Amino acid sequence: MPAVPSITIQEALTDIEQQFWLDEQALKDISRRFQELFHYGLANHGAEMAMIPTFVTGVPDGTETGTYLALDLGGTNLRVCEINLDGKGGFTMKQEKYKVSDALKRGPAKDLFDYMARSVDTFLTDYGTSSSDDELLMGFTFSFPVEQTAIDKGTLIHWTKGFDCPDAPGKDVVKLLQDALDRKHIKVRVNALVNDTVGALLARGYQTSGALLGAIFGTGTNGAYLEDITKVKKLNLPSGGPSHMVINTEWGGMDDERKVLPVTIFDNYVDRKSIRQRNHVFEKMISGMYLGEVARAVLTHLMDHLVLFKGFSSELFNTMYAFDTAYMSAIEADEEPASSPNCATRKVLIETMKVPAEHVSDEDVETVRKVCRIVGTRAARLSAVAVAAVLDHTGNAQSKSTDDQGANVGVDGSVIEFYPHFEERLREALRILLGEQGEKRVKIGLAKDGSGVGAALGALQAFKQEQSGHRVEI
Ligand code: BGC
C-alpha cells in the first residue's frame, strides 16, 4: 500500500512557521538576556559570550596615515593585503585571496600557520611593497574567540566555523604566526591581533569618523563596540590608563545555556552534527555557514512527512551542508512564477540539488521558497536583537541631543551584503525593539574591507601605543 502523508503541507508549514517566528515578547526577552550576559561577561573570565577586551583603546577618525600589511583568516578565504591609508578616510589596497583546504582547517596548527606565512611570502614576491621600512608591520585579523592580554598577544579559546586544528586552543596565535614567518625569514612583524568585528568598527570609524558598533553577519556572526573601561570589571587595570577599550562580544555564544533562545528541533539537529556541540548556538541560527543547513533540515523533514517532492529526496539533499546558504539567497531573490522555465528556485532544486524534475511540483517550489523565507527572517530578527542590545547597553538606543548624529553601525559579511531582504527584515525588528524613531537613527553601512583596513588601523594603533610608551598589557 502506498504511504499516505499524515499531515498536509499547510499544516506542516504552519507548524514550522510557529516554531521559527519571534514575536515581540521573544525579541524583548532575548534582548534582556543580552544585557544580563554583557554584564556577566565584562565581570568574569570564561563566559560563553566572552566579552573580550581587545586592548584597542580608541576608534579612528579618518586622519590616520601609513602603509601596513594585513592577514585575514576566519571567513571563507585567507587574504593577504597591503593597505595605504591616505589620512582623509580613504585608502588603496592590494590584495590576494588564498584557499584554505579542509585538511589545513583541521590538521596540525603548524601546517596552517606555515601556509599563512607562505601566502604572505607569495604575496610579497608577486606584488612587492610600497613601504620603504626594513621591517613591515602587519595586523592579523583572526576571527575566532581569543583571550587577549595585549594588542599583539592572545590565546585561542576555541575554534568556530568548521576550523578545528586540535593543538591550537590555548596557544598564542600571534606567536604561532610570527614563528612561522621567522622560520621563512620574512621581514614582517605581527604587531596587532584584530578580530574581524574590531576591524569593521575601526574601518567604519576611519571611513565615516566615528562608529558605535562593528558587526559581522557572514560565515559567522559577532559584534564589537567601544566600552567605558570602568565597566570592564574583569580587567582590573591600574588607574591613569586608557578611558575606553573596544570589546569583542563574541555574541555568537549568547545564551548557550538556552534560557531564552527558542531553539527548534532543526537547530538541535544542526548543532548535534556540528564540530562544537552546544556552543555558539545563536551563531548557528544566524550565520551563513549554517543557514542552508538549517533549511536543509526543515526540507528533509518535509520530505520525510511525504509533503515535499512526493517524499523523494536526492543524494545532495541527503548530504550535510550541501544546501548552501548562497542557494537560499538565489531562492529568496527569485520572483518568477513557480511554473516559469526561468524560475531560479526550480533550477536550484533540479539542476543544482539534483531532485528529479518529475518530483518537483509548483507547490513544492512555493514550499521551498517559504522555508527559506522563514529561516532567513528568523536570522535577520535575531541579528536585530544583537544590534539593539549593544546600542541599549551603551546608552545609544535613543537620541541624546538635538544635533543627534544617529547610531553608526559598520557591518560586513556575505549575509548582510548579499542575502535578499536581510537588512529590511532586521530593521523591521529594530522598530519593535527601539521604536520608529530609534530605528531611523541607526545608520547601517558596509565597513568595506573591514578585515583588511581594520587590521591596518590596528597595526597603526599598536605602533602608536609602542612609540608613546602607553602600551597596555596584563
Ligand atoms: C567567531 C568570531 C567572529 C565571527 C565572524 C565567529 O564564529 O567566533 O570571532 O568575529 O565568527 O567572523
Side-chain angles (χ1 to χ4, degrees), residues 343-469:
C343 169
T345 308
R346 189 177 286 277
K347 283 190 184 154
V348 167
L349 297 174
I350 297 169
E351 291 169 24
T352 313
M353 295 302 292
K354 309 281 183 219
V355 181
E358 67 269 25
H359 295 149
V360 182
S361 68
D362 290 356
E363 189 180 39
D364 290 337
V365 168
E366 296 299 354
T367 298
V368 172
R369 280 178 176 161
K370 188 151 192 192
V371 167
C372 292
R373 191 161 65 237
I374 291 172
V375 175
T377 301
R378 184 186 66 167
R381 287 170 85 82
L382 285 173
S383 304
V385 184
V387 171
V390 172
L391 297 182
D392 231 352
H393 171 78
T394 52
N396 286 300
Q398 305 299 333
S399 145
K400 285 188 281 196
S401 63
T402 42
D403 70 335
D404 180 36
Q405 302 293 308
N408 192 359
V409 177
V411 292
D412 203 357
S414 49
V415 173
I416 187 90
E417 204 176 348
F418 304 120
Y419 196 98
H421 315 297
F422 192 81
E423 185 176 335
E424 170 192 318
R425 293 167 182 168
L426 183 152
R427 284 192 170 277
E428 200 179 305
L430 277 186
R431 272 193 288 284
I432 298 175
L433 290 158
L434 304 177
E436 291 270 337
Q437 289 310 318
E439 179 269 325
K440 279 208 184 82
R441 295 177 59 250
V442 181
K443 296 186 204 152
I444 299 177
L446 268 190
K448 241 344 216 170
D449 294 309
S451 303
V453 182
L457 290 158
L460 170 69
Q461 189 168 131
F463 183 64
K464 282 191 183 156
Q465 281 188 18
E466 274 170 36
Q467 297 289 303
S468 65

Side-chain angles (χ1 to χ4, degrees), residues 143-145 160-161 195-197 216 220-222 250 280 283:
S143 303
F144 302 94
T160 55
K161 297 176 289 197
N195 185 267
D196 52 359
T197 53
I216 303 291
T221 183
N222 189 12
E250 287 296 335
H280 274 222
E283 173 165 82

Side-chain angles (χ1 to χ4, degrees), residues 64 74 87 146 431 447 462:
E64 294 73 12
V146 163
R431 272 193 288 284

Side-chain angles (χ1 to χ4, degrees), residues 57-102:
T57 51
V59 176
D61 60 10
T63 58
E64 294 73 12
T65 55
T67 300
Y68 297 91
L69 289 176
L71 180 74
D72 172 18
L73 180 80
T76 311
N77 294 300
L78 171 71
R79 269 199 316 160
V80 184
C81 329
E82 186 188 74
I83 297 104
N84 281 292
L85 303 167
D86 68 8
K88 295 183 201 116
F91 63 89
T92 53
M93 178 155 103
K94 295 185 276 193
Q95 62 163 325
E96 194 60 75
K97 290 183 179 160
Y98 304 90
K99 266 234 116 25
V100 185
S101 66
D102 283 347

